[in-house]
Amino acid sequence: MSYSLKFLCALILGGAMAASALHGQEINPTHQRLVAAFDMENAGKPQQAIAAAEALIGSRALARFDQVQALDLEGISYGDLDEPEKAVHALEEAAHLLGPQDHQEMAAVLNNMAGIYREWGHSSIAEYLYERAFQQAEAAARHGDMARVSSNLAGLALSEKENRAARNYLRRCDSEAKQATDLDDDDRGGMASMHGWLALNEGHARAALEQYRHALELWRRKHGEQHPSTAWGRLLVGKAEAMAGDRDAGLRNMREGLDRRRPRRERITSTMPSRSWRTRACWNGPGTRLRQRCWNRMRERS
């Protein structure tokens, strides 16, 4: 899950800064500025994040990987602003800086680019890029990233009502998740919601409700009751409840979820971003522009 979203580069940079402090070394101020730029995007301030990233790139003080991360941040932030051409341009520039052995970094860039194309309406291009991202993550033996990309592919298939393909992607996602050591409740909540979406597509409202409740609990545990991801999970639970026959409870949860949600650009996230990965899905991934349009449709219907 947009899911929601977190950045490996910030975790790497933050870890490097902590290690430097621990060993009495001077902390690189450029790294501090890059981490701060990622924090801006994670706090729902994409314009400020873009300005900070462009200033860093223009300073010519960034090492190659830092420049890749700054361009990746630009791409994600332009995606938040619904400017797909600029987003893709930034991500393509990031990809051009990577070499054939930079599998982990390339996987992240391709995954994020796929998310942009998906929201742009180019599903076939998104699928191709997700598959390439999976191959790069596999080459890096990154089971968590392989699980995330597989979840994204499942969401893409589900949005096209390709349930058989989605089921296969979710099997692969579950298999990789069992071997991963870097998944958190955000990730697992997003994956559970994908299983719920599949169950709903196949007409199994009770099974979907069980999965959505699990996703909601994971997001609540991660973020608390007032976070947009938790509100989104509550809306999903309400949707499944209504389809399972409990209309009153369903409408109550859907309205509560809608009332508690806040637009992406106003979201405040207290935790340090931890991965340069976007998990994007319409009905099941918190933190996406496409999800915002889903929110609006749900409000109109309620």
Side-chain angles (χ1 to χ4, degrees):
M1 134 201 88
S2 169
Y3 324 30
S4 355
L5 277 256
K6 301 163 288 185
F7 305 94
L8 174 60
C9 48
L11 179 64
I12 293 172
L13 290 171
M17 290 165 57
S20 296
L22 184 64
H23 291 90
Q25 300 173 3
E26 184 177 352
I27 297 175
N28 188 326
T30 302
H31 285 188
Q32 288 181 306
R33 290 171 62 191
L34 189 51
V35 171
F38 273 101
D39 283 340
M40 292 174 192
E41 197 282 335
N42 201 41
K45 301 176 181 178
Q47 295 99 331
Q48 291 94 320
I50 290 168
E54 288 181 346
L56 282 166
I57 294 169
S59 72
R60 301 185 181 277
L62 295 177
R64 182 170 65 95
F65 278 129
D66 290 345
Q67 189 172 353
V68 168
Q69 291 159 0
L71 287 165
D72 192 35
L73 171 60
E74 275 196 20
I76 292 169
S77 300
Y78 277 125
D80 289 340
L81 296 174
D82 279 338
E83 297 190 49
E85 295 92 345
K86 292 182 179 179
V88 169
H89 178 71
L91 291 167
E92 285 178 342
E93 286 194 6
H96 289 155
L97 290 174
L98 295 171
Q101 302 304 314
D102 299 326
H103 299 298
Q104 181 179 348
E105 294 78 12
M106 183 64 81
V109 170
L110 291 172
N111 178 79
N112 293 338
M113 195 183 301
I116 299 297
Y117 275 105
R118 175 181 176 177
E119 294 188 13
W120 207 355
H122 298 292
S123 297
S124 59
I125 298 175
E127 182 180 8
Y128 169 73
L129 290 169
Y130 278 136
E131 290 288 3
R132 285 189 59 198
F134 182 88
Q135 293 168 5
Q136 292 290 324
E138 186 175 31
R142 298 281 302 180
H143 295 289
D145 294 343
M146 292 159 72
R148 295 181 192 101
V149 177
S150 297
S151 181
N152 286 341
L153 279 162
L156 183 61
L158 287 165
S159 68
E160 303 288 331
K161 302 293 185 181
E162 296 177 359
N163 296 336
R164 179 179 298 180
R167 190 180 302 107
N168 290 333
Y169 286 133
L170 285 174
R171 287 196 189 103
R172 187 170 73 179
C173 173
D174 293 342
S175 175
E176 296 302 332
K178 290 177 182 177
Q179 303 176 69
T181 59
D182 63 336
L183 298 178
D184 63 12
D185 285 344
D186 252 347
D187 297 314
R188 297 190 186 280
M191 292 167 190
S193 73
M194 291 297 169
H195 281 283
W197 192 359
L198 176 60
L200 214 57
N201 271 9
E202 295 180 332
H204 306 304
R206 291 291 178 187
L209 179 57
E210 181 179 348
Q211 292 289 344
Y212 284 149
R213 282 174 172 166
H214 181 49
L216 173 58
E217 180 56 35
L218 290 168
W219 286 328
R220 181 188 288 124
R221 186 168 68 191
K222 174 73 174 180
H223 300 293
E225 193 63 50
Q226 301 302 320
H227 194 272
S229 297
T230 306
W232 181 247
R234 188 173 292 280
L235 187 146
L236 293 175
V237 166
K239 182 171 185 276
E241 285 175 331
M243 295 184 70
D246 194 346
R247 180 177 174 81
D248 290 341
L251 288 174
R252 185 168 57 252
N253 270 318
M254 291 167 70
R255 287 170 179 162
E256 186 172 349
L258 286 167
D259 288 341
R260 291 187 179 187
R261 77 103 169 105
R262 288 178 292 167
R264 173 65 178 89
R265 296 176 195 177
E266 297 176 6
R267 176 153 47 115
I268 302 299
T269 303
S270 60
T271 55
M272 163 95 52
S274 59
R275 281 186 299 279
S276 55
W277 287 87
R278 287 289 172 143
T279 305
R280 298 184 178 270
C282 174
W283 278 106
N284 297 279
T288 71
R289 300 299 301 165
L290 188 56
R291 185 196 69 173
Q292 183 64 43
R293 292 193 285 274
C294 293
W295 279 121
N296 294 339
R297 289 199 297 270
M298 290 302 299
R299 181 174 290 281
E300 291 169 2
R301 292 172 186 170
S302 65

